């Protein structure tokens, strides 16, 4: 049945499969064991299974399913009746180009580090679903972001396993004659070359630039080795490849975008390459800048100062001298565009400032972050008050189908045709939920928590067996005397994110005795699952990981508080679907949006968060819990003490009693009321379909 193998291969080469439950099952069911071993990568899976073997598995039932999925895939690709066709027809024709240093699309494509990448990945998927003519631009990172390994002291170490294009659904980008398309640009005094790969994400295309080719001097070959790898020099080189290389690639492909969307300042050098094109046409600088601004929109992503790239003017001179001469842009004019302080243009060059100055519109990623950003950047606009600053906001969301487990997807499809319908409006969600009984909803929760616990035991035995301390724990745990295994009956809290210090991962350990009582309560126990990576240079974040790992090994927490190594999209999917409560306790207002909590909602999870990022606009008193009311203290010890006290108080007096308060059928009726409220109020609002529609109407379509 060669055509069937071809059909499978075709599905494996478009990431659409990753948000379609049935398509995923096609691959999984070929070999569940191998599927785990290849990190859910169907291209690699098919490499490892011979055609004979596949044929042996192609019974008629499988064949029917394959035919059905293939047909849906074709219909998806050819659908003309999209939201964009109806509401923004000009953008069905003309391309939106979206530049981002990272894209988190699936765990098998390791070109992301964290939230920013996941947001880009969810953005491109919704752009495809809605019918935008959309291309993403990023880099191909051969070593990806690191794999986290904890040593025997609980200290994070980093490994960089290679990923190979031939094991991924990447197509080499070629020119009209079928030869590798190579673009070139200047870095310092050198000409640097890049090839490009294309990844199909539904109807959208993601292009990945790659300098690892023989034409380059050796030190330019590994510019793109690692996501945010290396020093400042590596960083500026990556950003030149992304911004300037990206615009050159689009030109070589004859793509003339209606909009360039800079997702974060990393890609802001794209504006200079657009400026070069205007200067070449003979425009004066002022006019050229206006032309570039018309084409660009910019999204800023963090109120944390260190999160904004800044380069010294020496470094700028070294890297750009040759290029600026070529395009005829005086160095000082260039510096002025990226200077925070116009009276000191030879100070640091800030990528965010360049992006703000050269785009027609800018936005933060939640209502609160919009306010904070207007205050933060008002000097750039010489504005007296933040209200005058033209930075708006579009609150982040998540791509619901991607973050839904098979169990959850099948559950909702008993009641409606798709998750998109469930999240289309609060009314639609209410109407659907009215047909779901509490028993059914509660059994979904039980089922999902079971799956998470099964996953955790498998994961721990695969990942930590070589570690002395954890080894002892596992031995203990698998023995007959196993006393306190994780249980699906126990209230389960999840905390997983980057271990940036402002996120305060260890906050819940502020009062060990109190936490000991909470976790070990005889009738109302609690279990907590942690995961997360610290940036390789962030020793403070690594200390937080170490502290938590040490706590997990103390007798009173052993087997009840767990740290899962190597947080990534795959681990995130398991955690967000299984936990009852998603904990988030950053220092307000440093979390620009946060999205992980939004992923829990359709699984019946509830958010418990400091009112920061997306949460203050979503929280209504009935759809989760707030940690404090946004009180801010100058002294950070006092802040931590206050927030920890609020956390314990709400946990002990509201969350735990509500969870364990059961009716005669052992159902926590009041808890499920909150779950329903969360699905109705959060599901339809905090998803990337809504977010991309907002970008389209407010920003991509010109006024
Ligand atoms: C969703 C997600 C994030 C973002 O989480 P925040 O809430 O923004 O911290 C980071 N990493 C992974 C792997 C994710 O899936």
């Amino acid at each position: 049945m060669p055509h069937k193998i071809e059909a499978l291969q075709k599905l494996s080469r478009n990431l659409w499969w990753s948000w379609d439950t049935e398509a995923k099952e096609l691959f999984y069911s070929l070999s569940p064991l191998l599927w785990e071993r290849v990190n859910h990568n169907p291209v690699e899976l098919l490499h490892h299974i011979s055609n004979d073997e596949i044929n042996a598995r192609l019974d008629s039932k499988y064949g029917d399913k394959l035919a059905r999925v293939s047909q849906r895939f074709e219909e998806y690709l050819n659908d003309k009746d999209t939201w964009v066709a109806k509401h923004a027809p000009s953008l069905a024709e003309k391309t939106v180009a979206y530049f981002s240093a990272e894209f988190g699309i699936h765990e098998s494509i390791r070109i992301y580090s964290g939230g920013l990448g996941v947001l880009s990945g969810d953005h491109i998927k919704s752009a495809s679903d809605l019918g935008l003519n959309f291309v993403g631009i990023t880099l191909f990172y051969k070593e990806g972001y690191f794999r986290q390994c904890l040593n025997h002291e609980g200290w994070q170490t980093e490994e960089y396993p290679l990923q190979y294009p031939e094991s991924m659904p990447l197509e080499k980008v070629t020119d009209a004659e079928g030869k590798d398309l190579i673009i070139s640009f200047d870095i310092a005094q050198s000409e640097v070359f890049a090839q490009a790969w294309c990844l199909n994400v539904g109807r959208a295309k993601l292009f990945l630039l790659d300098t690892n080719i023989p034409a380059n001097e050796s030190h330019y070959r590994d510019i793109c080795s690692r996501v945010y790898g290396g020093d400042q020099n590596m960083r500026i080189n990556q950003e030149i490849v992304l911004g300037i290389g990206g615009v050159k690639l689009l030109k070589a492909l004859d793509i003339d975008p209606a909009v360039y969307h800079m997702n974060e300042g990393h890609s802001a050098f794209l504006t200079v390459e657009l400026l070069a094109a205007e200067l070449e046409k003979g425009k004066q600088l002022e006019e050229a800048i206006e032309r570039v601004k018309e084409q660009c929109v910019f999204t800023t992503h963090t109120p944390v100062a260190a999160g904004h790239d800044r380069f010294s003017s020496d470094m700028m001179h070294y890297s750009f001298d040759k290029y600026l001469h070529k395009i005829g842009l005086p160095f000082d004019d260039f510096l002025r565009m990226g200077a925070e302080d116009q009276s000191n243009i030879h100070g640091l060059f800030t990528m965010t400032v360049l992006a703000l100055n050269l785009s027609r519109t800018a936005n933060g990623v939640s209502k609160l972050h919009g306010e904070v950003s207007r205050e933060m950047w008002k000097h750039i606009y010489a504005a007296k008050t933040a209200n005058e600053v033209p930075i708006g906001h579009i609150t982040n969301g998540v791509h619901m189908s991607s973050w839904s487990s098979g169990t959850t997807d099948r559950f909702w499809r008993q009641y409606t045709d798709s998750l998109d319908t469930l999240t289309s409006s609060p009314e639609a969600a209410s109407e659907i939920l009215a047909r779901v009984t509490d028993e059914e909803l509660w059994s979904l929760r039980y089922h999902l928590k079971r799956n998470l616990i099964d996953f955790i035991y498998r994961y721990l035995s695969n990942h930590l067996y070589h570690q002395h301390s954890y080894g002892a724990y596992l031995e203990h745990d698998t023995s007959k005397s196993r006393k306190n295994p994780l249980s699906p009956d126990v209230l389960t809290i999840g905390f997983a994110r980057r271990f940036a210090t402002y996120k305060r991962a260890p906050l819940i350990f502020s009062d060990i005795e109190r936490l000991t009582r909470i976790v070990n309560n005889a009738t109302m126990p609690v279990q907590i699952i942690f995961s997360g990576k610290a940036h390789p240079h962030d020793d403070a974040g690594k200390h937080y990981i170490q502290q938590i790992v040490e706590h997990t090994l103390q007798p009173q927490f052993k087997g009840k508080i767990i740290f899962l190594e190597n947080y990534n999209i795959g681990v995130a999917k398991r955690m967000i679907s299984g936990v009852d409560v998603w904990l988030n306790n950053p220092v307000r207002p440093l979390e620009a949006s946060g999205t992980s909590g939004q992923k829990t909602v359709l699984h019946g999870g509830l958010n418990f968060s400091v009112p920061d990022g997306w949460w203050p606009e979503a929280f209504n008193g009935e759809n989760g819990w707030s940690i404090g009311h946004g009180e801010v203290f100058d002294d950070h010890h006092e802040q931590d003490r206050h927030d920890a006290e609020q956390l314990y108080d709400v946990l002990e007096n509201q969350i735990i009693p509500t969870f364990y308060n059961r009716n005669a059928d052992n159902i926590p009726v009041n808890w499920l009321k909150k779950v329903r409220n969360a699905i109705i109020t959060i599901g339809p609002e905090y998803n990337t379909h809504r977010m991309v529609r907002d970008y389209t109407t407010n920003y991509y379509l010109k006024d």
Side-chain angles (χ1 to χ4, degrees):
M1 305 186 209
H3 62 285
K4 290 198 176 150
I5 294 174
E6 272 167 31
L8 266 176
Q9 254 148 6
K10 186 163 184 203
L11 287 173
S12 76
R13 303 201 69 83
N14 186 315
L15 266 296
W16 174 84
W17 70 262
S18 71
W19 69 93
D20 187 275
T21 299
E22 264 198 322
K24 256 186 281 190
E25 286 165 353
L26 283 175
F27 296 119
Y28 162 84
S29 62
L30 280 180
S31 168
L33 209 66
L34 198 52
W35 181 241
E36 288 305 316
R37 213 176 304 150
V38 298
N39 196 21
H40 314 151
N41 176 347
V43 173
E44 219 178 324
L45 181 87
L46 294 178
H47 281 174
H48 282 88
I49 305 186
S50 70
N51 285 358
D52 287 348
E53 237 178 307
I54 296 178
N55 275 326
R57 282 164 223 212
L58 287 176
D59 57 19
S60 65
K61 208 164 145 225
Y62 188 97
D64 289 348
K65 188 164 176 175
L66 177 56
R68 211 162 53 232
V69 172
S70 297
Q71 189 186 343
R72 270 197 299 108
F73 177 49
E74 290 304 323
E75 283 167 9
Y76 178 88
L77 291 181
N78 298 314
D79 183 14
K80 298 274 179 286
D81 186 25
T82 63
W83 180 86
V84 168
K86 282 195 211 78
H87 298 95
S90 64
L91 291 173
E93 307 303 324
K94 203 128 194 236
T95 307
V96 172
Y98 180 92
F99 285 61
S100 183
E102 46 171 318
F103 276 83
I105 299 173
H106 184 260
E107 56 264 32
S108 64
I109 315 279
R110 296 184 295 106
I111 54 169
Y112 67 93
S113 86
L116 181 72
V118 170
L119 181 78
S120 307
D122 283 3
H123 192 121
I124 194 170
K125 290 171 192 171
S126 278
S128 167
D129 288 348
L130 295 175
L132 271 179
N133 186 339
F134 196 87
V135 301
I137 305 281
T138 192
L139 306 180
F140 176 66
Y141 302 99
K142 190 164 188 194
E143 301 181 15
Y145 197 56
F146 68 91
R147 180 161 73 196
Q148 178 189 54
C149 294
L150 300 181
N151 71 13
H152 63 285
E153 290 168 330
W155 188 254
Q156 170 181 300
T157 62
E158 294 93 26
E159 289 179 357
Y160 290 89
L162 299 180
Q163 55 187 347
Y164 298 95
E166 18 338 334
S167 306
M168 302 163 80
L170 295 178
E171 322 292 341
K172 181 76 79 62
V173 177
T174 54
D175 62 17
E177 286 144 37
K179 291 208 287 273
D180 291 358
L181 182 74
I182 304 285
I183 55 152
S184 74
F185 41 89
D186 295 309
I187 298 183
Q189 298 303 314
S190 304
E191 186 174 18
V192 176
F193 302 89
Q195 62 182 0
W197 302 94
C198 179
L199 183 64
N200 289 303
V201 186
R203 284 181 280 236
K205 288 191 184 311
L206 176 60
F207 292 108
L208 303 92
L209 289 157
D210 180 3
T211 59
N212 186 16
I213 52 177
N216 281 326
E217 297 167 46
S218 61
H219 58 284
Y220 287 124
R221 268 180 227 163
D222 49 41
I223 293 177
C224 314
S225 292
R226 296 177 178 179
V227 184
Y228 308 134
D231 54 10
Q232 281 289 91
N233 197 44
M234 182 71 94
R235 184 62 77 88
I236 202 170
N237 289 348
Q238 287 193 341
E239 296 185 358
I240 291 171
V241 179
L242 177 64
I244 295 179
V247 172
K248 292 208 180 229
L249 176 71
L250 291 172
K251 187 146 189 239
L253 292 171
D254 227 359
I255 296 174
D256 177 23
V259 186
Y260 293 83
H261 186 169
M262 292 175 266
N263 189 44
E264 226 287 332
H266 301 126
S267 59
F269 289 142
L270 75 83
T271 59
V272 197
E273 180 62 17
L274 295 178
L275 205 56
E278 299 301 325
L279 294 172
E280 201 182 355
K281 290 183 207 155
K283 299 246 164 65
Q284 293 301 306
L285 184 58
E286 289 300 304
E287 198 191 345
I289 289 176
E290 286 312 309
R291 275 291 302 130
V292 173
K293 283 175 76 160
E294 283 166 25
Q295 302 169 68
C296 297
V297 307
F298 169 55
T299 303
T300 181
H301 278 274
T302 182
V304 179
H308 296 264
D309 278 326
R310 294 178 163 87
F311 301 113
S312 72
S313 62
D314 282 351
M315 188 175 255
M316 293 298 291
H317 190 265
Y318 175 79
S319 302
F320 279 94
D321 187 39
K322 182 177 174 204
Y323 173 74
L324 293 176
H325 273 104
K326 213 186 239 178
I327 68 172
L329 178 63
F331 184 54
D332 280 3
D333 285 334
F334 185 31
L335 288 187
R336 205 162 285 128
M337 295 176 204
E340 277 203 55
D341 175 1
Q342 289 302 317
S343 67
N344 177 25
I345 63 168
H346 293 273
L348 293 176
F349 186 97
T350 305
M351 295 300 278
T352 301
V353 174
L354 175 65
L356 289 171
N357 281 332
L358 274 284
S359 48
R360 71 164 186 260
T361 171
N363 70 288
V365 289
S366 68
K367 186 164 178 280
L368 178 60
H369 180 234
E371 288 162 20
V372 172
S373 300
R374 285 191 284 281
E375 185 63 40
M376 184 172 180
W377 300 109
K378 68 177 188 226
H379 55 292
I380 302 302
Y381 299 89
K384 282 195 200 67
T385 68
N387 287 338
E388 298 165 27
V389 175
I391 299 178
H393 80 271
I394 289 181
T395 305
N396 286 343
V398 294
H399 186 255
M400 290 294 181
S401 316
S402 293
W403 292 103
S404 146
S405 70
T407 303
T408 303
D409 189 38
R410 277 188 297 273
F411 176 82
W412 290 115
R413 281 195 288 116
Q414 294 172 274
Y415 306 96
T416 183
D417 62 329
S418 73
L419 296 183
D420 286 350
T421 308
L422 175 65
T423 55
S424 59
S425 70
E427 295 73 28
S430 300
E431 188 272 314
I432 292 162
L433 271 167
R435 287 182 273 122
V436 181
T437 66
D438 275 356
E439 285 75 10
E440 288 163 338
L441 203 50
W442 192 232
S443 75
L444 170 70
R445 287 298 320 137
Y446 186 85
H447 193 154
L448 290 171
K449 225 188 303 180
R450 262 246 73 88
N451 290 350
L452 170 63
I453 291 169
D454 290 348
F455 166 76
I456 289 173
Y457 282 125
R458 257 183 293 131
Y459 195 78
L460 285 180
S461 54
N462 285 339
H463 279 74
L464 298 170
Y465 64 95
H466 56 287
Q467 281 168 39
H468 176 66
S469 41
Y470 269 80
Y473 155 60
L474 281 173
E475 241 167 70
H476 160 83
D477 197 72
T478 49
S479 72
K480 286 194 200 70
S481 68
R482 144 165 147 174
K483 262 220 171 84
N484 291 303
L486 296 169
S487 161
D489 294 321
V490 171
L491 172 63
T492 306
I493 299 177
F495 181 105
R497 41 184 51 82
R498 285 186 303 120
F499 268 50
T501 44
Y502 78 84
K503 298 187 186 233
R504 297 189 296 190
L507 191 72
I508 200 170
F509 294 98
S510 302
D511 183 340
I512 295 288
E513 276 173 29
R514 199 162 173 186
L515 184 63
T516 302
R517 284 197 303 276
I518 292 172
V519 167
N520 294 288
N521 186 301
T523 51
M524 303 192 287
V526 172
Q527 55 200 11
I528 313 177
I529 320 297
F530 281 94
S531 191
K533 292 172 171 178
H535 187 276
H537 297 155
D538 180 10
D539 275 3
K542 292 187 189 181
H543 275 292
Y544 278 1
I545 292 172
Q546 189 175 39
Q547 273 173 36
I548 292 177
V549 170
E550 279 169 5
H551 288 311
T552 66
L553 297 172
Q554 285 162 9
Q556 75 269 35
F557 296 141
K558 228 175 196 175
K560 298 166 187 169
I561 301 183
I562 303 282
F563 186 92
L564 295 177
E565 244 176 314
N566 198 33
Y567 186 50
N568 59 36
I569 290 177
V571 175
K573 278 183 192 158
R574 300 294 190 152
M575 287 184 65
I576 55 100
S577 64
V579 299
D580 299 300
V581 172
W582 192 251
L583 174 65
N584 180 39
N585 44 235
V587 177
R588 192 178 194 258
L590 298 183
E591 189 65 86
S593 168
T595 54
S596 53
Q598 301 167 351
K599 300 168 189 164
T600 66
V601 171
L602 297 191
H603 304 276
L606 290 169
N607 281 273
F608 178 31
S609 173
V610 163
D612 196 14
W614 70 286
W615 191 232
E617 59 194 275
F619 178 57
N620 65 6
E622 302 297 331
N623 57 4
W625 296 271
S626 180
I627 300 172
H629 305 280
E631 299 84 352
V632 173
F633 299 86
D634 290 336
D635 179 72
H636 75 93
H637 293 295
E638 204 176 327
Q639 185 78 54
D640 290 353
R641 256 196 309 278
H642 170 271
D643 292 351
E645 175 55 38
Q646 292 289 321
L647 189 162
Y648 289 125
D649 180 54
V650 176
L651 188 57
E652 288 173 330
N653 298 314
Q654 298 183 46
I655 298 180
I656 295 172
T658 312
F659 183 87
Y660 286 105
N661 179 7
R662 306 297 169 88
N663 71 5
D665 298 322
N666 199 26
I667 306 262
V669 177
N670 291 332
W671 185 273
L672 291 178
K673 272 197 191 123
K674 287 188 184 287
V675 169
R676 288 172 188 271
N677 196 308
I679 293 167
I680 292 167
T681 58
I682 298 173
E685 191 61 27
Y686 299 93
N687 65 72
T688 40
H689 284 12
R690 187 275 308 151
M691 182 187 87
V692 172
R693 285 196 302 264
D694 283 354
Y695 275 107
T696 302
T697 5
N698 301 345
Y699 293 151
Y700 296 162
L701 289 169
K702 288 188 191 143
D703 318 330

